């Protein structure tokens, strides 16, 4: 049975991804900053018939929490097959470039960028023990510099000094990581689930969590010929779904 760790999985897209992966027969570690909340969610899922889901406490901004989660998975499984770095925060609004404080920008980067790096580096040795390791970093269309420079883009006017730049940085890191691991059986990609109706955006997005999770899984559970170092977006309206950087 393949194992997957999903950070920030106790609600919204992360939770739906956990449900769908469980239905596909994977052992899912449902990551949550609060173990109590994570266990409550898992109990609800089990009552609905979902199996192979375990709550695991992991705060991506806390090195000790990351280390403990890594040690738990090593002790129970000996390896990890899939890492989905889903945890993220929006930060305060508005996020003007001229007035948003360094402190507020750093807080967003600590979760969305540095948190992903910390988790990835901590679990890399366990992923290397898998026959087909996968790392999916959940990004946003707002991380695309090309689209942000295009006045015809439908979200051209949605700009912020913290969230978007944190995802642009994540995209750049993913390219470097994918290149570093290119000779190994890793597939490392950034995936934008699209503008989805979640608590994250007060349910203002037009997309569903079911579609978002399905898109993430589609571009995560790829075969040995699948792409690596790519940027997929559920908001790109074609069959390939590749976003410009």
């Amino acid at each position: 049975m393949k194992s997957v760790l999903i950070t920030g999985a106790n609600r919204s897209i992360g939770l739906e991804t956990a449900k769908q992966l469980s239905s596909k027969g994977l052992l899912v570690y449902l990551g949550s900053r609060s173990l109590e909340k994570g266990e409550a969610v898992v109990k609800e899922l089990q009552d609905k018939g979902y199996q192979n889901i375990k709550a695991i406490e992991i705060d991506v901004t806390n090195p000790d929490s990351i280390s403990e989660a890594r040690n738990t998975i090593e002790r129970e499984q000996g390896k990890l097959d899939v890492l989905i770095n889903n945890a993220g925060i929006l930060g305060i609004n508005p996020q003007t470039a001229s007035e948003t404080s360094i402190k507020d920008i750093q807080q967003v980067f600590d979760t969305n960028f540095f948190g992903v790096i910390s988790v990835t580096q901590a679990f890399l040795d366990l992923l290397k023990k898998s026959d087909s390791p996968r790392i999916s970093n959940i990004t946003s269309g707002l991380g695309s510099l090309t689209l942000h420079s295009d006045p015809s883009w439908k979200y051209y006017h949605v700009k912020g000094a913290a969230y978007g730049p944190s995802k642009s940085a994540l995209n750049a890191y993913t390219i470097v990581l994918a290149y570093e691991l290119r000779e190994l059986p890793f597939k490392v990609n950034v995936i934008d689930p699209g503008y989805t109706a979640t608590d994250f955006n007060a349910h203002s997005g037009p997309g569903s969590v079911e579609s978002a999770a399905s898109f993430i899984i589609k571009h995560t559970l790829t075969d040995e010929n699948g792409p690596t170092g790519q940027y997929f977006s559920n908001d790109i309206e074609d069959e390939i779904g590749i976003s410009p950087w």
Side-chain angles (χ1 to χ4, degrees):
M1 181 181 293
K2 288 189 175 181
S3 58
V4 53
L5 167 63
I6 310 171
T7 63
N10 59 297
R11 62 177 183 170
S12 301
I13 295 173
L15 174 57
E16 179 62 27
T17 304
K19 290 162 63 176
Q20 292 189 23
L21 286 173
S22 170
S23 296
K24 290 180 178 294
L26 277 76
L27 171 61
V28 179
Y29 282 96
L30 186 148
S32 173
R33 285 185 298 174
S34 164
L35 182 59
E36 182 179 0
K37 289 181 179 180
E39 289 179 336
V41 170
V42 169
K43 176 64 167 58
E44 291 179 5
L45 294 176
Q46 291 174 338
D47 290 345
K48 294 178 180 179
Y50 289 95
Q51 299 178 345
N52 307 320
I53 301 182
K54 295 185 176 183
I56 190 166
E57 183 175 354
I58 182 168
D59 180 345
V60 303
T61 66
N62 185 321
D64 291 337
S65 174
I66 295 170
S67 179
E68 182 59 34
R70 179 234 173 263
N71 292 340
T72 296
I73 292 177
E74 180 182 36
R75 184 168 58 251
E76 294 182 356
Q77 301 299 317
K79 66 180 178 67
L80 181 66
D81 296 290
V82 181
L83 172 61
I84 300 179
N85 285 305
N86 171 73
I89 62 173
L90 180 61
I92 65 163
N93 268 314
Q95 294 178 3
T96 62
S98 58
E99 296 181 349
T100 305
S101 71
I102 291 295
K103 179 180 179 182
D104 288 331
I105 294 174
Q106 286 177 332
Q107 185 178 36
V108 174
F109 268 73
D110 281 344
T111 296
N112 296 2
F113 181 57
F114 297 115
V116 172
I117 296 174
S118 296
V119 172
T120 300
Q121 291 181 348
F123 282 90
L124 203 54
D125 64 329
L126 297 186
L127 287 160
K128 286 180 178 179
K129 296 178 180 180
S130 171
D131 293 332
S132 54
R134 301 288 182 265
I135 300 175
S136 291
N137 294 331
I138 306 308
T139 188
S140 167
L142 298 176
S144 170
L145 300 181
T146 299
L147 293 177
H148 266 304
S149 301
D150 180 2
S152 69
W153 184 42
K154 59 183 175 180
Y155 300 125
Y156 176 72
H157 296 289
V158 183
K159 288 180 167 55
Y163 180 75
S166 75
K167 294 300 187 178
S168 299
L170 176 61
N171 292 354
Y173 171 77
T174 304
I175 290 174
V176 176
L177 180 64
Y179 177 80
E180 180 179 330
L181 300 173
R182 69 193 184 283
E183 301 298 335
L184 300 175
F186 276 84
K187 304 299 179 184
V188 184
N189 296 291
V190 281
I191 304 175
D192 165 29
Y195 189 16
T196 306
T198 65
D199 295 342
F200 197 77
N201 55 41
H203 294 268
S204 61
S208 68
V209 292
E210 291 81 7
S211 172
S214 178
F215 189 80
I216 290 171
I217 293 169
K218 173 184 176 181
H219 293 290
T220 298
L221 300 184
T222 54
D223 61 25
E224 61 182 9
N225 298 314
T228 189
Q230 193 52 263
Y231 182 4
F232 296 101
S233 174
N234 205 16
D235 279 337
I236 300 296
E237 297 174 356
D238 60 32
E239 293 183 2
I240 302 175
I242 294 179
S243 173
W245 298 98

